[in-house]
């Protein structure tokens, strides 16, 4: 225990830098994927051929191992192997594959009678989509967002194997120091804490966005 | 991107200790060992929780926490505690594989309709018979979905074995990076991705063989088939 504190005292700045970088590398892709998934999910929900294409593309992306993707992207994009942009793009692809699917599932799950009622009340399609359909689809979409976020937080660590920052660097540091445990344990604790905090924040967001779920709770 | 290394016949020699066939076998070895241990741990627990409905919250939360653990960190911790070798790598991969197998086993068993379980109880089956002969066959597609998910993650993560001095396909990635031979890295990455697809297809084939035609709808030409929710896939680790 005391060794962990001593490590934090002497390397606190490095740990903080790694943590901040980890947050960026894990959460930026989720944010990008979330924004892109809404229109794409709507498209997939609406057009059957788009659904087949999206689901197939999604499963193909899933089968590509993250480390392999991280190393193949520089060859495809012409970026440097050490460029963090590879991590952002790789994780955005994974998150997008998951979120397009859950967005479509969420939109599918909205009761059509509710939409008919909204139309009958004079809602135009665009307003109906944003104020009725999307909010009702939110619980399913946010479940996907939770899975993507937790997966990303734990996946970013892999990037340290090829020399990109984040909490994974604490693991490789411990390895280089001959399995010196303090940085390894700090990295594990911070990584799990980050995943848990992000998850709790999304649950809070969900409660805020779906007030009817609480009102109707039995 | 240069494919020279991948297409060089010398690297596909069956006898070479660092040729692709040998590395693929090592990689599959780590994968199968970890999946087998994880299945032996997670299937019975998932079955028990799914059948009795007790302890579900604890198991699901532990499973989710396990999902948040970075495998690289678990590996380093295991190395620090038990020393270098196959054991720490296997521990890390088992920790990675347990959550998806446990969660889908539980979800699969819970998805069996209450009426079905009641009917089985009504015709005089014991609890063990209900679990083995009714719930497991019906839950099998979802359970195998979890195993496929776990195998994808383990195949892709087994690359880290090479980082700590073992073999497997990760060798090409780390050796190539260390010597700046990018064609070797590309070759390794492509072979790993192909292996992941091949393992997934093999398990999909096993699913067709193992799942009763009555369960997945193949046996019911004239009856409407039941729509079952597909397990949510997860990104490979």
């Amino acid at each position: 225990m005391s060794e962990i504190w001593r490590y934090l005292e002497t390397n606190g700045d490095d740990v903080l830098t790694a943590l901040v970088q980890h947050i960026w590398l894990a959460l930026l892709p989720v944010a990008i994927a979330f924004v892109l998934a809404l229109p794409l999910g709507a498209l997939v929900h609406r057009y059957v051929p788009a659904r087949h294409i999206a689901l197939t593309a999604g499963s193909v992306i899933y089968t590509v191992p993250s480390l392999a993707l991280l190393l193949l992207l520089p060859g495809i994009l012409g970026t440097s192997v050490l460029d963090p942009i590879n991590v952002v793009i790789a994780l955005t692809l994974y998150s997008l594959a998951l979120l397009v699917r859950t967005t479509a599932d969420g939109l599918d799950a909205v009761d059509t009678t509710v939409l008919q009622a909204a139309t009958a009340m004079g809602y135009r399609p665009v307003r109906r989509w944003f104020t009725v359909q999307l909010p009702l689809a939110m619980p399913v979409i946010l479940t996907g967002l939770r899975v993507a976020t937790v997966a990303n937080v734990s996946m970013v660590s892999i990037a340290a194997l090829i020399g990109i920052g984040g909490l994974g660097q604490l693991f490789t540091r411990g390895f280089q120091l001959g399995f010196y445990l303090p940085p390894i344990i700090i990295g594990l604790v911070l990584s799990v804490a980050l995943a848990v905090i992000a998850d709790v924040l999304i649950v809070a967001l969900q409660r805020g966005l779906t007030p009817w779920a609480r009102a109707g709770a039995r | 991107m240069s494919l020279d290394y991948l297409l060089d016949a010398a690297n596909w020699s069956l006898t070479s200790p660092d040729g692709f066939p040998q590395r693929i076998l090592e990689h599959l070895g780590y994968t199968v060992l970890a999946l087998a241990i994880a299945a032996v741990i997670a299937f019975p627990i998932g079955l028990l929780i799914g059948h009795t409905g007790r302890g579900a919250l604890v198991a699901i939360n532990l499973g989710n926490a396990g999902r948040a653990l970075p495998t690289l960190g678990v590996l380093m911790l295991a190395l620090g505690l038990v020393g270098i070798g196959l054991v720490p790598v296997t521990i890390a991969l088992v920790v990675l594989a347990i959550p998806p197998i446990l969660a889908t086993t539980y979800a699969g068993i819970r998805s069996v309709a209450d009426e079905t379980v009641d009917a089985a109880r009504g015709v005089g089956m014991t609890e063990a018979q209900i679990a083995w002969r009714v719930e497991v066959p019906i839950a099998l597609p979802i359970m195998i979905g979890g195993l496929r998910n776990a195998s994808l993650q383990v195949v892709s993560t087994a690359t880290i074995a090479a980082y700590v001095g073992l073999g497997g396909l990760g060798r090409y990635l780390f050796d190539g990076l260390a010597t700046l031979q990018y064609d070797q890295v590309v070759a390794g990455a492509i072979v790993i991705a192909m292996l992941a697809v091949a393992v997934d297809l093999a398990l999909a084939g096993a699913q067709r063989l193992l799942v009763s035609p009555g369960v997945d709808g193949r046996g019911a030409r004239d009856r409407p088939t039941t729509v079952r929710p597909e397990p949510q896939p997860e990104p490979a680790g």
Side-chain angles (χ1 to χ4, degrees):
Chain A
M1 232 16 232
S2 64
E3 268 191 87
I4 293 178
W5 288 122
R6 205 170 323 130
Y7 188 87
L8 276 177
E9 269 171 32
T10 45
N11 297 285
D13 289 344
D14 289 350
V15 173
L16 197 65
T17 314
L19 178 64
V20 171
Q21 198 163 12
H22 200 93
I23 293 174
W24 271 109
L25 288 178
L27 300 189
L28 184 63
V30 184
I32 299 173
F34 184 61
V35 171
L36 291 177
L38 292 182
L40 286 175
L43 205 71
V44 167
H45 160 70
R46 213 166 154 157
Y47 301 103
V48 178
R51 170 170 304 243
H52 287 298
I53 296 169
L55 294 190
T56 313
S59 2
V60 170
I61 292 174
Y62 278 129
T63 21
V64 181
S66 53
L67 192 57
L69 188 59
L70 279 179
L71 290 169
L72 288 176
L73 277 177
I76 298 166
L77 303 170
T79 48
S80 147
V81 174
L82 287 174
D83 199 332
I85 194 83
N86 300 320
V87 181
V88 174
I89 293 174
L91 293 186
T92 302
L93 284 175
Y94 287 128
S95 310
L96 197 60
L98 180 81
L99 287 175
V100 168
R101 188 197 178 107
T102 48
T103 304
D105 286 348
L107 293 172
D108 289 348
V110 176
D111 194 340
T112 43
T113 51
V114 175
L115 299 181
Q116 285 165 5
T119 309
M121 286 175 70
Y123 279 60
R124 299 245 161 238
V126 173
R127 184 165 168 229
R128 192 186 76 172
W129 197 84
F130 278 106
T131 59
V132 179
Q133 201 170 4
L134 185 61
L136 286 176
M138 249 337 153
V140 179
I141 300 176
L142 290 178
T143 308
L145 192 69
R146 286 174 67 183
V147 175
T149 307
V150 172
N152 273 10
V153 169
S154 76
M155 236 191 307
V156 171
S157 305
I158 289 284
L161 288 180
I162 53 171
I164 298 173
L167 292 170
Q169 278 189 329
L170 296 173
F171 304 142
T172 49
R173 176 96 41 90
F175 174 71
Q176 284 148 4
L177 295 173
F179 311 123
Y180 182 56
L181 287 180
I184 297 172
I185 292 171
I186 293 169
L188 274 172
V189 170
L190 286 179
S191 186
V192 172
L194 192 58
V196 170
I197 291 171
D199 196 50
V200 167
L201 286 179
I202 299 174
V203 173
L205 179 74
Q206 180 170 355
R207 285 182 73 97
L209 285 177
T210 57
W212 61 88
R214 263 172 299 146
R218 273 162 293 201
Chain B
M1 277 211 291
S2 159
L3 297 178
D4 293 350
Y5 196 92
L6 181 67
L7 301 177
D8 186 346
N11 296 324
W12 287 94
S13 151
L14 288 174
T15 47
S16 158
D18 47 71
F20 287 112
Q22 191 61 36
R23 293 295 183 212
I24 290 174
L25 276 185
E26 288 168 359
H27 204 92
L28 280 177
Y30 306 143
T31 304
V32 171
L33 179 64
L35 282 177
I37 296 174
V40 165
I41 297 171
F43 273 136
I45 299 178
L47 187 59
L48 195 70
I49 299 170
H51 183 73
T52 61
R54 279 186 213 136
L57 208 63
V58 177
I60 299 307
N61 282 330
L62 272 182
N64 283 339
R67 211 165 284 202
L69 280 174
T71 307
L72 185 60
V74 177
L75 172 66
M76 296 306 171
L77 187 64
L79 279 167
L81 297 177
V82 304
I84 206 150
L86 182 59
V87 177
V89 170
T90 306
I91 291 176
L93 295 179
V94 167
V95 169
L96 177 73
I98 285 179
I101 298 180
L102 180 62
T104 47
T105 305
Y106 165 78
I109 301 289
R110 293 310 285 175
S111 77
V112 177
D114 289 346
E115 297 83 18
T116 312
V117 176
D118 287 346
R121 211 164 268 142
V123 298
M125 292 176 109
T126 65
E127 292 305 306
Q129 282 174 327
I130 294 172
W132 274 112
R133 295 173 57 187
V134 178
E135 288 177 325
V136 169
I138 295 179
L140 209 52
I142 297 182
M143 286 163 61
I144 295 178
L147 191 65
R148 284 170 69 175
N149 205 327
S151 72
L152 272 185
Q153 295 189 39
V154 173
V155 167
S156 82
T157 313
T159 44
I160 57 177
Y163 188 74
V164 295
L166 273 71
L169 291 165
R171 279 261 64 89
Y172 300 110
L173 305 186
F174 297 118
D175 293 350
L177 278 179
T179 55
L180 297 176
Q181 285 181 287
Y182 194 65
D183 59 342
Q184 194 177 346
V185 175
V186 169
I190 291 175
V191 175
I192 293 167
M194 304 289 259
L195 186 66
V197 174
V199 168
D200 195 47
L201 285 177
L203 283 171
Q207 181 169 351
R208 265 187 92 83
L209 288 179
L210 289 173
V211 174
S212 153
V215 170
D216 62 10
R218 273 178 293 150
R221 291 258 164 70
D222 3 272
R223 275 175 286 140
T225 52
T226 30
V227 180
R228 73 174 48 254
E230 275 188 47
Q232 202 64 252
E234 267 180 83

